[in-house]
Structures are given as structure tokens and as C-alpha cells.
């Protein structure tokens, strides 16, 4: 029995922060819990067939923590790496509890995960990672001036953007491997992981939020996972999104996907992550949360693989 279990493929599931708190929803506990229950239902089905590691986003949640952080002005605001760790604990707890309720026979562990980045990463001077709620332009500009934030357009709305350094190494990878070997469902690298960089005393926190899709790709590569599943609030990768001539990309090669441009703050990192993992030799999938098993079965969503490059040739 144990020998059969070790042969199960590993899938890293990247769960978008916007899939846990939908765009425009009130960022309440009740709304997040409802969405996490939907996520847990989908992931529980995946866990019946695969060994699963879950990497979740935290853009809406860490932005909300930052706003709450500003409400008490008698102390300096906590840095983003600490708020990221808070969001890892909060979302990880909610996910673990709902997954355990769905499949009580499985152990589920949430692991606070540190990821090494460069202290002089270019994103520190050119932030692109959306966090927090959406605003209309007037409110967004007022908040930017009041709090010295950088704001950028996110579709028809405005949102705060923060540095998003590239992940280099998952410091706690061995612990993740140990939990997976014990057939546990593992929630790791939450919010893209806690960004840290090397210093004289070892490591120190970095002010930023790592993109969870890039962190999930790095994790999938370092674990030797066969599949990377990026779940979001879009059913697939689309060309000309939102226009009359929009078209879903279904089965594509990395080279084909690299020909197109996607927004840096939304679909761009997902496409970059999928291309990176496919070029590494794995299969990457992008699709909607409520269609996760169908996406893995390649009956919907977008699949990126070198196999499709061979088919094109």
C-alpha cells in the first residue's frame, strides 16, 4: 500500500488570492470562508488522485492587513514581510480546517515558508504586485497621497502596488518534502512565501510580496512535481481579453505563449510561471477554481507543455 502511495504524481496547486476573495467583494471573514469552502471542495477531489501542495495568494488579504495596520498610529506600521506571514497563518488555517473537514482521513499541515530573494531586486523601485481592495480613481489617488503608496490601474479600478521580488530559493523545502513523503496535504509558500534575503546574521525580512505563481513554479521545480495547476477567477488564458474577438488558448507550447503580451499585474505572472515550468519539463495548467479536475484532464482551461510544441512541429 505504501509503495503505491509513493508512486502518486505530485501537483502543486497555485490558488489565487482573488479566487479566495473575489474582485469587488467585501473583504469580510464570511466572504473569504465561503470561497475557501469552494476551494477546499475542489482541492479535496484533486487530493484523491495526487499528492498535493497548495500555494495560495494573498493580494487582497495582505492589503487589508496593511490598511488595518495603519489604523493604530501609535506604533510604526509592521513591514510587508511580517504582514505576509500573518496572511499565511490566517489563510492557511482556514484552508487546512476546511480541507480536514472534507477529508478527515488525511493530515493537513500549514507551513510558514521563507523564500530567499535579492535585497536589490529591480521590483523594489518598480512595484507591480496588486494588493488590497479596489478603488475608484479619485479615492485611489487620495490614498496614494495620504499613505505614500504607489497606485496603478487594475481593469476599471485602481489598486495599491508593492514590490514583488523574484523568488530564488525555498529555505524550508526539506520540511515540505518530509510532509509530502508522509502523504500529508501541505499548504506552503502562502502569499508567495515570506521574502527574506541574506545578511551578516543569516537572513532578514524584505519589504515586498512575492508573486505566488512564481513561488509555486519554483516549488514545483524544486520538488520535482509533475504538474503545476494555477487556479484563478478566469476560465483560461485569453487573447484580447474583454473584447469582442477574445479567444481562449487551450493547448499551447511555451514558445507560442511567449509570443503574446499579458498584463504584469494579473495574467502576466501566471503565464510566465506556466512557461517556466513547461520549459523545465512539467505540465502547467491555468483555469478556474470550480473546474480544477477538468483543467487537469485538459478538457477545459489552458495547458502549457513541450508536448504541444512537438505537435506543432
Amino acid at each position: 500500500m505504501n509503495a503505491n502511495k509513493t508512486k502518486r504524481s505530485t501537483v502543486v496547486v497555485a490558488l489565487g488570492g482573488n479566487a479566495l476573495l473575489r474582485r469587488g467583494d467585501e473583504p469580510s471573514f464570511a466572504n473569504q470562508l465561503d470561497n475557501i469552502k469552494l476551494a477546499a471542495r475542489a482541492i479535496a477531489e484533486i487530493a484523491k488522485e495526487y499528492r498535493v501542495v497548495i500555494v495560495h495568494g494573498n493580494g487582497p488579504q495582505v492589503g487589508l492587513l496593511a490598511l488595518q495596520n495603519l489604523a493604530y498610529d501609535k506604533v510604526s506600521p509592521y513591514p510587508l514581510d511580517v504582514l505576509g506571514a500573518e496572511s499565511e497563518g490566517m489563510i492557511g488555517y482556514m484552508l487546512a480546517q476546511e480541507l480536514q473537514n472534507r477529508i478527515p482521513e488525511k493530515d493537513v499541515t500549514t507551513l510558514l515558508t521563507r523564500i530567499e530573494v535579492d535585497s536589490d531586486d529591480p521590483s523594489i523601485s518598480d512595484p507591480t504586485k496588486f494588493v488590497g481592495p479596489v478603488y475608484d480613481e479619485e479615492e485611489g489617488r487620495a490614498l496614494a497621497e495620504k499613505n505614500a503608496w504607489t497606485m496603478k490601474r487594475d481593469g476599471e479600478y485602481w489598486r495599491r502596488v508593492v514590490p514583488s521580488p523574484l523568488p530564488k530559493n525555498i529555505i524550508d523545502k526539506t520540511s515540505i518534502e518530509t510532509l509530502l513523503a508522509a502523504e500529508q496535504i501541505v499548504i506552503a509558500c502562502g502569499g508567495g512565501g515570506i521574502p527574506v534575503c541574506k545578511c551578516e546574521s543569516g537572513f532578514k525580512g524584505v519589504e515586498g510580496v512575492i508573486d505566488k505563481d512564481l513561488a509555486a513554479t519554483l516549488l514545483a521545480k524544486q520538488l520535482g512535481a509533475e504538474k503545476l495547476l494555477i487556479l484563478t477567477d478566469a476560465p483560461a488564458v485569453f487573447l484580447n481579453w474583454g473584447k469582442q474577438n477574445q479567444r481562449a488558448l487551450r493547448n499551447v507550447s511555451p514558445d507560442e505563449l511567449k509570443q503574446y503580451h499579458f498584463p504584469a499585474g494579473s495574467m502576466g505572472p501566471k503565464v510566465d510561471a506556466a512557461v517556466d515550468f513547461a520549459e523545465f519539463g512539467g505540465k502547467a495548467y491555468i483555469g478556474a477554481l470550480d473546474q480544477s479536475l477538468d483543467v487537469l484532464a485538459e478538457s477545459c482551461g489552458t495547458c502549457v507543455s513541450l508536448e504541444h510544441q512537438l505537435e506543432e512541429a
Side-chain angles (χ1 to χ4, degrees), residues 129-302:
K129 176 66 178 172
F130 287 117
V131 300
V134 296
Y135 305 99
D136 61 35
E137 182 173 359
E138 183 179 355
E139 188 177 12
R141 291 188 182 281
L143 285 168
E145 184 175 351
K146 179 181 178 181
N147 300 313
W149 287 352
T150 302
M151 305 287 285
K152 290 185 178 179
R153 186 178 290 278
D154 182 11
E156 61 181 299
Y157 302 102
W158 288 76
R159 288 178 79 187
R160 182 188 178 189
V161 288
V162 300
S164 184
L166 292 175
K168 294 175 57 183
N169 183 49
I170 297 167
I171 297 171
D172 302 296
K173 177 177 70 76
T174 301
S175 297
I176 299 169
E177 290 174 327
T178 301
L179 293 166
L180 267 181
E183 288 295 319
Q184 294 203 27
I185 297 174
V186 187
I187 303 165
C189 302
I194 305 163
V196 299
C197 67
K198 288 182 177 177
C199 63
E200 291 182 0
S201 59
F203 289 98
K204 65 178 181 179
V206 172
E207 183 84 3
V209 176
I210 300 171
D211 183 87
K212 69 100 181 35
D213 298 310
L214 301 183
T217 302
L218 178 62
L219 178 61
K221 290 161 68 174
Q222 292 192 347
L223 291 178
E226 290 81 5
K227 299 185 177 187
L228 171 67
L229 174 61
I230 300 174
L231 296 175
T232 183
D233 53 359
V237 178
F238 283 83
L239 295 180
N240 303 314
W241 172 251
K243 299 179 181 178
Q244 286 188 340
N245 63 338
Q246 73 177 25
R247 175 170 67 90
L249 297 173
R250 293 281 292 108
N251 297 306
V252 294
S253 68
D255 283 348
E256 180 186 350
L257 206 50
K258 285 192 291 187
Q259 296 176 17
Y260 308 119
H261 172 74
F262 300 93
S266 54
M267 189 56 76
K270 296 173 179 57
V271 168
D272 291 343
V275 166
D276 185 10
F277 187 64
E279 289 181 331
F280 185 73
K283 276 194 166 185
Y285 305 84
I286 301 174
L289 172 64
D290 59 355
Q291 298 176 317
S292 53
L293 276 178
D294 291 332
V295 174
L296 281 173
E298 300 181 27
S299 59
C300 64
T302 299

Side-chain angles (χ1 to χ4, degrees), residues 9 21 54 57 65 74 76-77 80 100 111-112 123-124 127 150 170 175 178 192 195 213 215 225 247 250 264 266 308:
S9 297
L21 186 61
I54 304 162
L65 288 172
K74 298 187 184 302
S76 298
L80 280 170
Q100 195 92 68
L111 182 70
L112 288 177
S123 75
I124 292 173
T150 302
I170 297 167
S175 297
T178 301
D213 298 310
R247 175 170 67 90
R250 293 281 292 108
S266 54
H308 303 311

Side-chain angles (χ1 to χ4, degrees), residues 14-25:
L15 192 61
N18 287 327
L20 300 176
L21 186 61
R22 300 186 186 279
R23 194 182 306 271
D25 278 1

Side-chain angles (χ1 to χ4, degrees), residues 21-76:
L21 186 61
R22 300 186 186 279
R23 194 182 306 271
D25 278 1
E26 179 184 282
S28 66
F29 170 76
N31 279 341
Q32 292 188 70
L33 183 59
D34 285 345
N35 288 326
I36 280 175
K37 286 181 177 179
L38 294 175
R41 183 169 64 191
I43 294 169
E45 292 302 310
I46 297 172
K48 294 176 182 178
E49 300 182 30
Y50 299 91
R51 296 200 305 177
V52 175
V53 187
I54 304 162
V55 179
H56 62 76
N58 71 343
Q61 294 82 2
V62 78
L64 176 61
L65 288 172
L67 285 169
Q68 293 172 333
N69 203 21
L70 291 172
Y72 187 76
D73 58 5
K74 298 187 184 302
V75 297
S76 298

